[in-house]
Amino acid sequence: MNKARFLLLIGLSLWVVACSDRTSTHAQREVYVDAEDTAATIERILREERVPGAAVGIWQHGKPVLLRGFGVTDVDHPHPVDAQTLFKLASTTKAFTTAALGLLVEQGKLQWDSRVVDYLPQFRMADPWITREFRVVDLLTHRSGLGAGAGDLMLWPQPNRFTRADVLSGLEYLPISGNFRADYAYDNLLYIVAGELIAAVSGESYEDFVQQHLLDAMGLQHCFAGPVPASARGNLADPHRLENGQLVVDTANLAGEEPIVLAAAGGMHCSAADMLRWLQTLLAGGVTPEGKRIFSEETRDRLWRPVTLMPLSAERAARDDGNFYAYALGWRVQDMNGKRVIHHTGSLSGMYAWVALVPEEDVAMVALINRSAGVARQALIYSLLKPYVGGEQRDWLAYFQDLYGGATAPAEPEQLPAPEGLAEVGDSALRGHYRDSWFGDVDIAGGDGALRWTSRKSPRLAGSLTAAAPGVWSLHWDDRSLEADAWLLAARDAGGQLVLTMQPQSRGVDFSYDFPDLRFVRAGEETQMAGAGN
């Protein structure tokens, strides 16, 4: 036997032994989690962080550890949350979108590396080469070159008047600020494009395809890709926020008759019980608990295969006892205390979600809450997950309250000073009708010292303008729940035309208020400014 063959056999033997050791270790390890203690921890988190209601589920080895509702769906009309209460899934919807694409790949109707323009000829990015080379997988992995949250002002605040056609036509005006297929920057618009791709390839709407071929096929009776039927709205959680220390219902839970623009990126509604069935199907490689195959194990593995490296701070690496953090297809993948964890969060105004799987321990879990409460969600994540990965046991609620501030003492976001104006422009010269290439039309009207800003397609973005410095105004939104006041800056281009740009007033403004990507000119002048959004 030659030396190379001998070393190969030794290597294979070691690999088999290692696999056998992992298998035996897994078989011997049985995590015991007391359901009542877990429920008590959840109740404490919800109580201290002022969360009106939640639905939480944990399954291991195909058996329920915990599946319960907590609190109420709505503080104005209290109804107990249960395992079938419908919550907004927000970005945990993205995994259903990627699974739907996986079905189309299995059917041979497209490939993960198919060019998007071959199916959606109207698809355009700001760079022609990127447009031509953009593949299906690039829609799903947050490495497009767009900035974080680019174009999200077409999605929220809800309700607004933007359409999916607006999203597709607006993409080419969003600046390429990062490196294509290199830099991670979370986006939602390209998942909407993915939904339109599903519709173009399948001949069905995004909502109908996902509902029929995934949700109904899995027997998810309390899960909806599109509008929630009137018959199911009696057990629907409403979003909440804190206002002057009191819980109030945020904008109504948008479960109306018409599909919403962001459906493929974050528009689904589902119950915790049905989410657990979905997660069990994933753990089983695409097979439902009753043994029905929905998609192949190969597709499941493709959805979980890491593609784009994500930032991993030293603080998080230490907290997770991990070294790796990446985005796959609608899922985040990382190591935590030596275990692979597949997970995703979801965040909409007044609604937070989280799902996770630990394949090595055959564990699935979900937490759905009806308030935008970051500390509560983080505390739930670590309190629920750490016991199953052999991690450190500690008071995670106290940890995150200390780190970020809690509901009773929230951390104040850092306020940014007014920027320096670039043009001497007064109130009277500012009045007029303006247009941005992707956001559309806004109006600035009113007298000196009493200017008003209104958006024609996003009616909740209306507010007052107050001079802060020469050529700079403070834009104070009427709807104080937005928490996204902005600076408006006036400048003039080389031709002397007035150009308005925007910046957030604090570091606490959510990245989805992508003000820096806006560039307004007076309506009628924008035709002279090709590529104004770049």
Side-chain angles (χ1 to χ4, degrees), residues 88 158-164 205-208 224-230 233 253-263 267-269:
K88 288 182 180 179
Q158 298 177 24
N160 63 44
R161 302 185 185 108
F162 287 97
T163 66
R164 295 175 193 176
S205 70
Y206 167 81
E207 290 85 353
D208 287 348
F224 303 97
V228 175
R233 294 180 199 166
N253 197 330
L254 302 178
E257 301 297 334
E258 297 299 321
I260 59 175
V261 174
L262 60 82
M268 285 179 54
H269 291 78

Side-chain angles (χ1 to χ4, degrees), residues 159-227:
N160 63 44
R161 302 185 185 108
F162 287 97
T163 66
R164 295 175 193 176
D166 290 330
V167 169
L168 272 167
S169 64
L171 270 173
E172 67 175 308
Y173 300 106
L174 292 168
I176 303 296
S177 57
N179 295 305
F180 180 47
R181 293 191 185 138
D183 296 336
Y184 171 84
Y186 194 86
D187 75 75
N188 290 290
L189 262 60
L190 293 172
Y191 268 82
I192 295 169
V193 176
E196 293 303 277
L197 178 64
I198 290 169
V201 172
S202 70
E204 305 174 49
S205 70
Y206 167 81
E207 290 85 353
D208 287 348
F209 186 86
V210 172
Q211 190 72 47
Q212 178 182 345
H213 299 282
L214 281 176
L215 309 184
D216 293 348
M218 285 187 285
L220 307 187
Q221 299 179 9
H222 303 275
C223 206
F224 303 97

Side-chain angles (χ1 to χ4, degrees), residues 24-298:
S24 62
T25 301
H26 179 193
Q28 292 171 1
R29 187 174 185 272
E30 185 70 30
V31 176
Y32 175 75
V33 174
D34 185 88
E36 291 307 312
D37 286 349
T38 301
T41 297
I42 294 168
E43 288 170 340
R44 178 193 164 216
I45 292 170
L46 302 180
R47 181 176 62 253
E48 290 196 24
E49 288 305 302
R50 307 289 303 280
V51 177
V56 179
I58 305 172
W59 280 64
Q60 185 178 34
H61 304 315
K63 298 177 182 178
V65 176
L66 176 75
L67 180 56
R68 278 186 52 180
F70 300 83
V72 297
T73 59
D74 181 335
V75 294
D76 292 337
H77 306 93
H79 177 80
V81 174
D82 59 35
Q84 302 299 348
T85 297
L86 299 179
F87 285 78
K88 288 182 180 179
L89 294 187
S91 285
T92 60
T93 298
K94 289 179 168 67
F96 291 94
T97 299
T98 59
L101 284 166
L103 290 178
L104 292 173
V105 171
E106 289 186 9
Q107 294 168 12
K109 294 183 178 180
L110 81 168
Q111 299 299 320
W112 293 113
D113 63 352
S114 294
R115 285 185 171 88
V116 175
V117 290
D118 290 343
Y119 300 91
L120 295 173
Q122 69 273 43
F123 174 78
R124 294 286 185 277
M125 299 286 284
D127 184 289
W129 183 88
I130 293 177
T131 298
R132 185 174 62 252
E133 292 301 317
F134 217 88
R135 311 301 174 122
V136 174
V137 72
D138 296 321
L139 295 172
L140 313 172
T141 47
H142 307 303
R143 56 177 190 169
S144 64
L146 295 174
D152 276 359
L153 284 171
M154 287 189 277
L155 308 182
W156 43 68
Q158 298 177 24
N160 63 44
R161 302 185 185 108
F162 287 97
T163 66
R164 295 175 193 176
D166 290 330
V167 169
L168 272 167
S169 64
L171 270 173
E172 67 175 308
Y173 300 106
L174 292 168
I176 303 296
S177 57
N179 295 305
F180 180 47
R181 293 191 185 138
D183 296 336
Y184 171 84
Y186 194 86
D187 75 75
N188 290 290
L189 262 60
L190 293 172
Y191 268 82
I192 295 169
V193 176
E196 293 303 277
L197 178 64
I198 290 169
V201 172
S202 70
E204 305 174 49
S205 70
Y206 167 81
E207 290 85 353
D208 287 348
F209 186 86
V210 172
Q211 190 72 47
Q212 178 182 345
H213 299 282
L214 281 176
L215 309 184
D216 293 348
M218 285 187 285
L220 307 187
Q221 299 179 9
H222 303 275
C223 206
F224 303 97
V228 175
S231 59
R233 294 180 199 166
N235 193 8
L236 184 69
D238 276 319
H240 294 76
R241 70 176 188 273
L242 282 177
E243 185 176 283
N244 299 320
Q246 299 299 314
L247 279 168
V248 298
V249 175
D250 206 324
T251 52
N253 197 330
L254 302 178
E257 301 297 334
E258 297 299 321
I260 59 175
V261 174
L262 60 82
M268 285 179 54
H269 291 78
C270 202
S271 71
D274 275 9
M275 286 297 283
L276 280 180
R277 283 182 58 84
W278 157 238
L279 298 176
Q280 283 182 278
T281 301
L282 286 162
L283 281 175
V287 178
T288 68
E290 293 76 28
K292 180 182 178 181
R293 180 164 291 283
I294 306 299
F295 46 81
S296 69
E297 188 170 351
E298 179 183 4

Side-chain angles (χ1 to χ4, degrees), residues 425-434 443-449 451 498 522:
V425 177
D427 282 8
S428 59
L430 192 66
R431 291 194 294 268
H433 173 202
Y434 295 84
D443 296 290
I444 299 177
D448 289 353
L451 291 179
L498 189 62
R522 291 191 186 276

Side-chain angles (χ1 to χ4, degrees), residues 186-532:
Y186 194 86
D187 75 75
N188 290 290
L189 262 60
L190 293 172
Y191 268 82
I192 295 169
V193 176
E196 293 303 277
L197 178 64
I198 290 169
V201 172
S202 70
E204 305 174 49
S205 70
Y206 167 81
E207 290 85 353
D208 287 348
F209 186 86
V210 172
Q211 190 72 47
Q212 178 182 345
H213 299 282
L214 281 176
L215 309 184
D216 293 348
M218 285 187 285
L220 307 187
Q221 299 179 9
H222 303 275
C223 206
F224 303 97
V228 175
S231 59
R233 294 180 199 166
N235 193 8
L236 184 69
D238 276 319
H240 294 76
R241 70 176 188 273
L242 282 177
E243 185 176 283
N244 299 320
Q246 299 299 314
L247 279 168
V248 298
V249 175
D250 206 324
T251 52
N253 197 330
L254 302 178
E257 301 297 334
E258 297 299 321
I260 59 175
V261 174
L262 60 82
M268 285 179 54
H269 291 78
C270 202
S271 71
D274 275 9
M275 286 297 283
L276 280 180
R277 283 182 58 84
W278 157 238
L279 298 176
Q280 283 182 278
T281 301
L282 286 162
L283 281 175
V287 178
T288 68
E290 293 76 28
K292 180 182 178 181
R293 180 164 291 283
I294 306 299
F295 46 81
S296 69
E297 188 170 351
E298 179 183 4
T299 292
R300 190 278 312 272
D301 291 345
R302 185 66 185 87
L303 302 182
W304 288 354
R305 186 190 307 165
V307 176
T308 308
L309 288 176
M310 296 174 62
L312 180 62
S313 67
E315 178 184 63
R316 177 161 191 157
R319 182 170 69 229
D320 293 352
D321 189 20
N323 302 284
F324 176 74
Y325 195 28
Y327 205 89
L329 306 187
W331 292 97
R332 298 179 179 118
V333 183
Q334 70 174 102
D335 62 326
M336 182 180 286
N337 297 97
K339 301 291 190 303
R340 181 175 60 135
V341 179
I342 319 292
H343 63 101
H344 211 290
T345 53
S347 304
L348 284 173
S349 180
M351 285 278 185
Y352 275 9
W354 171 72
V355 292
L357 306 104
V358 187
E360 186 177 345
E361 299 298 334
D362 198 27
V363 168
M365 53 186 66
V366 58
L368 307 172
I369 65 177
N370 61 353
R371 185 172 90 77
S372 300
V375 167
R377 181 171 62 187
Q378 288 292 90
L380 285 171
I381 288 172
Y382 282 84
S383 297
L384 298 178
L385 188 55
K386 279 290 189 175
Y388 289 96
V389 295
E392 176 186 7
Q393 301 302 302
R394 64 187 302 176
D395 186 340
W396 289 108
L397 176 59
Y399 173 90
F400 286 108
Q401 286 175 335
D402 183 62
L403 194 62
Y404 301 120
T408 56
E412 290 296 326
E414 179 186 352
Q415 297 300 305
L416 302 173
E420 183 177 345
L422 300 175
E424 291 286 342
V425 177
D427 282 8
S428 59
L430 192 66
R431 291 194 294 268
H433 173 202
Y434 295 84
R435 181 171 296 149
D436 174 79
S437 299
W438 60 269
F439 184 71
D441 297 296
V442 301
D443 296 290
I444 299 177
D448 289 353
L451 291 179
R452 295 281 304 163
W453 161 292
T454 55
S455 165
R456 296 191 182 183
K457 282 194 171 182
S458 190
R460 289 180 67 192
L461 289 179
S464 59
L465 286 163
T466 305
V472 180
W473 290 262
S474 173
L475 181 45
H476 187 86
W477 304 117
D478 299 339
D479 186 341
R480 301 313 299 156
S481 70
L482 301 181
E483 299 181 340
D485 289 342
W487 299 114
L488 183 70
L489 289 77
R492 294 193 183 277
D493 67 7
Q497 296 180 107
L498 189 62
V499 178
L500 304 180
T501 58
M502 295 174 70
Q503 297 178 17
Q505 286 193 14
S506 85
R507 297 194 191 280
V509 172
D510 190 276
F511 70 85
S512 287
Y513 292 98
D514 50 321
F515 298 137
D517 288 340
L518 296 168
R519 193 171 191 268
F520 293 97
V521 298
R522 291 191 186 276
E525 297 177 359
E526 74 281 354
T527 55
Q528 305 171 35
M529 304 180 67

